[in-house]
Amino acid sequence: MSRPRTWPAHVVLAGGALVMIAPFAWQVVVSLQTLPESLSVPPKFTPSWQWSNFPEIFRTVPLGRQFLNTVVVTAAVTAGQLLLCSLAAFAFARLRFPGRGAVFMLFLAVLMVPGELFLIPRYEIMVGLGWLNTLQALIAPGVFGAFGTFLLRQFFLTLPRELDEAAQLEGANPLQIYWHIMLPLVRPGLLALGMLTVMWSWSSLLWPLVVNTDPEMMTLSAGLASLRGQFQTNFPMLFAGSVVATLPVIVLFVIMQKQLIAGIAFTGSKG
Amino acid sequence: MLSKREWAWGYLLIAPMALGLAVFYLWPILQTLYLSFTESGVFGGYTWVGTANYAGLLGDEDMAGALGNTLLYAVLVLAGVPLSIVVAALLNVPGLRGLSVYRTLYFLPVVTMPAAVGLTWRYLFNGDFGAINHLLGLVGIDGPYWMGDPDVAIYAIAIVGVWSSIGYNAVLFLAGLQGIPRHYYEAASIDGAGRLRQFFRITLPLLTPTTFFVVVITMINALQVFDLVYLMIDTTSPALRGSRTIVYLFFEKAFVHNQRGLAAAIAVLLLGLILVLTAIQFRLQKKWVHYE
């Protein structure tokens, strides 16, 4: 069989890829322009290397602080998700206890409910705790997730039964089996869930917008959204902030893309 | 081997997650249901008002507008799903090099922050100095004031919605495509079926389970769109009337106007809408989804 021609596919894919990345390229270009350049007609498609936009945006808004907030929240949420979801997923997949099926169905039901239904009561819980404008308000609801439990359960289910039986005979308790035997084997699942959680947590907007209104306690996502009103026409500054906010996830994604995509394809086809 | 100890361990290990889900998910659902039958007072506290919130929403112009805008947005985003199938099919061309590079590029909009993306698109769509109208001008089209025109804004937002979801859906479709056994194509080749014929006769039918999954997920997500509207449209813009979605209205009522009871009713109606439309999808699947 002769090797099929692939160049027509390349032409269409490359054209599409250009549309995919053009907004990012444009964002970087404008972040390095002066204000008048950014508003010129016709648009100016080249940067004039105004690096000062970057220190300037850090001076005018607490961008450094918001960056730190985002890192702390994302790290805490991801660590929490990985630990709690894997514990519960292990129990659902490998241990037998009465009510297991019913409780798991309840978890799945939670998965299907749109997030808006949680928002007002969660906000009132935070008010009650006196947690408005704190990082724990952003972290606490984020560490619990029915989706992560479901995803990891699928991974735990694929492991052979003999593994736990052998360990049990050796006298290991379930926690030891979970930690020493099972967890290393579901590493691909943990990586996929970790990456998805980082992405979601890093970009989430609605909840941070609602609970933390003090600019010092905002995440980058909410911080950028609030710049929208403040700097309605100062696009170079706005985009300097956007570049700072997007770059870390893009770098992480480029490094980890294989795991992330495998995780998504896995949940998709098995979902 | 069912031992008492295994029971105890089971409960112990799910306890942290179950507790968290109870506090941050289950209790809020019940509470929101309750709130939807109340009215929030100026100084806090809630008064029971029965079905007044729902009755009020029935004739409310903003609610009708938000419902229409949300449904239009969902239809537009669903219309973009075939693009993902095309991308996935091209990525699946045998012998294609650079698969992981393309996958990364197409996936970039999925992983990046909607806040940054929304602001960039809003700039691109600007009626005066935006690059999109400039490009349209080059081919002789007079572009509209996308973000200021109530009849146009939702289309601009849907373009961004499609753009940001192509990569995610293409990954799902690609996984589906790779699950189709090669020998179907070999048999079709021997029978003399061309590439295009194979695509319509083999690929599309065998891809319908993935398509069904993608359509359901895309629809559920589209019905909850908020970020893009919030970022791309100013609160004072006349275009808000034509682009305010259900979740946007919910956000306004709950956290701008402090009408929590009313907002809760909007959230419950959204849940109802999602359930009904998803149930319809599951009903319709018998007509077009082929399971092997």
Side-chain angles (χ1 to χ4, degrees):
Chain A
M1 203 167 89
S2 67
R3 202 165 159 276
R5 285 178 309 168
T6 57
W7 67 263
H10 277 296
V11 171
V12 182
L13 285 171
L18 205 65
V19 178
M20 290 294 134
I21 55 166
F24 296 106
W26 198 215
Q27 177 182 303
V28 175
V29 167
V30 174
S31 76
L32 293 167
Q33 289 180 345
T34 62
L35 179 54
E37 283 174 322
S38 72
L39 302 173
S40 65
V41 183
K44 188 172 177 283
F45 288 93
T46 50
S48 57
W49 312 109
Q50 290 288 317
W51 293 106
S52 58
N53 289 333
F54 284 85
E56 189 63 26
I57 186 73
F58 275 93
R59 259 198 302 277
T60 31
V61 292
L63 197 71
R65 179 62 202 262
Q66 292 171 357
F67 195 95
L68 191 69
N69 291 341
T70 315
V71 170
V72 170
V73 169
T74 302
V77 166
T78 308
Q81 280 266 341
L82 289 179
L83 180 69
L84 298 183
C85 292
S86 65
L87 276 174
F90 167 77
F92 279 126
R94 315 298 297 195
L95 301 177
R96 277 158 298 176
F97 49 91
R100 182 179 69 166
V103 177
F104 188 67
M105 285 310 284
L106 211 56
F107 273 46
L108 285 186
V110 157
L111 200 60
M112 317 217 171
V113 176
E116 293 72 35
L117 262 83
F118 314 127
L119 220 54
I120 299 172
R122 275 186 194 170
Y123 177 80
E124 293 186 342
I125 292 174
M126 295 305 155
V127 173
L129 290 169
W131 280 8
L132 292 187
N133 286 310
T134 65
L135 292 185
Q136 58 268 34
L138 297 175
I139 296 167
V143 298
F144 305 101
F147 170 81
T149 308
F150 176 69
L151 174 76
L152 292 182
R153 178 177 166 272
Q154 300 291 92
F155 278 88
F156 279 116
L157 283 175
T158 60
L159 303 176
R161 194 81 231 171
E162 294 80 48
L163 279 174
D164 358 16
E165 280 164 5
Q168 230 170 356
L169 290 177
E170 308 252 329
N173 69 38
L175 195 62
Q176 290 167 324
I177 298 176
Y178 155 81
W179 187 257
H180 293 294
I181 300 171
M182 296 285 160
L183 217 45
L185 291 173
V186 296
R187 229 181 86 121
L190 294 173
L191 280 173
L193 176 63
M195 189 64 209
L196 284 167
T197 311
V198 167
M199 254 168 54
W200 286 332
S201 177
W202 190 272
S203 332
S204 86
L205 179 66
L206 189 49
W207 177 245
L209 210 56
V210 164
V211 277
N212 288 5
T213 45
D214 170 6
E216 291 275 334
M217 295 313 289
M218 280 180 182
T219 56
L220 286 168
S221 202
L224 278 181
S226 71
L227 285 184
R228 168 195 68 135
Q230 223 176 322
F231 292 96
Q232 207 155 41
T233 47
N234 198 332
F235 288 102
M237 294 274 271
L238 205 58
F239 290 168
S242 299
V243 170
V244 170
T246 22
L247 213 56
V249 225
I250 293 185
V251 170
L252 189 69
F253 166 64
V254 170
I255 299 170
M256 301 271 297
Q257 59 127 337
K258 227 181 203 150
Q259 287 84 355
L260 174 68
I261 285 172
I264 287 171
F266 184 82
T267 40
S269 52
K270 300 275 179 349
Chain B
M1 210 176 30
L2 266 172
S3 66
K4 266 260 152 49
R5 292 181 61 112
E6 193 169 331
W7 291 21
W9 277 110
Y11 290 127
L12 189 72
L13 297 186
I14 62 163
M17 181 59 80
L19 213 65
L21 290 183
V23 171
F24 289 112
Y25 290 81
L26 288 175
W27 157 251
I29 295 174
L30 299 174
Q31 181 72 4
T32 297
L33 271 174
Y34 164 73
L35 287 182
S36 74
F37 296 103
T38 69
E39 196 173 59
S40 40
V42 187
F43 304 104
Y46 294 92
T47 352
W48 184 264
V49 293
T51 54
N53 288 325
Y54 293 98
L57 287 170
L58 212 60
D60 186 63
E61 220 175 276
D62 284 345
M63 183 61 192
L67 181 65
N69 296 336
T70 306
L71 291 175
L72 176 59
Y73 176 84
V75 168
L76 292 170
V77 172
L78 283 175
V81 168
L83 285 176
S84 310
I85 300 185
V86 172
V87 170
L90 291 173
L91 289 175
N92 199 39
V93 165
L96 185 95
R97 294 217 211 147
L99 176 70
S100 77
V101 175
Y102 284 126
R103 229 172 25 185
T104 308
L105 294 178
Y106 279 86
F107 212 76
L108 222 47
V110 184
V111 293
T112 44
M113 193 181 273
V117 157
L119 294 172
T120 308
W121 276 98
R122 172 195 164 107
Y123 175 74
L124 291 169
F125 274 121
N126 187 285
D128 295 315
F129 50 79
I132 288 173
N133 278 2
H134 174 71
L135 291 176
L136 288 176
L138 292 180
V139 291
I141 299 170
D142 205 9
Y145 277 86
W146 298 90
M147 301 288 95
D149 187 338
D151 295 328
V152 178
I154 195 77
Y155 291 91
I157 297 168
I159 287 173
V160 184
V162 170
W163 171 83
S164 61
S165 61
I166 280 184
Y168 187 87
N169 292 342
V171 164
L172 294 178
F173 280 123
L174 189 59
L177 286 174
Q178 288 171 347
I180 300 177
R182 284 247 75 87
H183 64 81
Y184 284 121
Y185 294 101
E186 282 153 18
S189 277
I190 292 166
D191 289 343
R195 279 254 197 116
L196 220 58
R197 206 180 151 79
Q198 291 180 20
F199 180 76
F200 284 104
R201 286 298 174 84
I202 301 172
T203 312
L204 281 187
L206 289 178
L207 206 55
T208 48
T210 313
T211 311
F212 175 67
F213 177 76
V214 169
V215 164
V216 169
I217 295 289
T218 304
M219 185 192 72
I220 292 177
N221 284 334
L223 292 172
Q224 298 180 66
V225 61
F226 166 78
D227 296 16
L228 290 176
V229 184
Y230 182 77
L231 292 156
M232 292 175 68
I233 308 289
D234 275 322
T235 47
T236 52
S237 167
L240 189 57
R241 184 166 47 82
S243 57
R244 182 194 277 113
T245 58
I246 296 177
V247 177
Y248 191 100
L249 185 68
F250 162 84
F251 171 77
E252 272 185 343
K253 296 292 183 207
F255 299 104
V256 182
H257 304 148
N258 253 325
Q259 294 175 299
R260 300 264 152 82
L262 193 63
I266 295 173
V268 174
L269 287 179
L270 175 66
L271 172 66
L273 181 69
I274 289 175
L275 289 179
V276 167
L277 291 181
T278 308
I280 292 175
Q281 295 274 10
F282 271 86
R283 267 294 172 79
L284 288 178
Q285 78 164 322
K286 288 184 200 116
K287 297 224 191 293
W288 64 278
V289 180
H290 303 269
Y291 291 101
E292 280 176 83

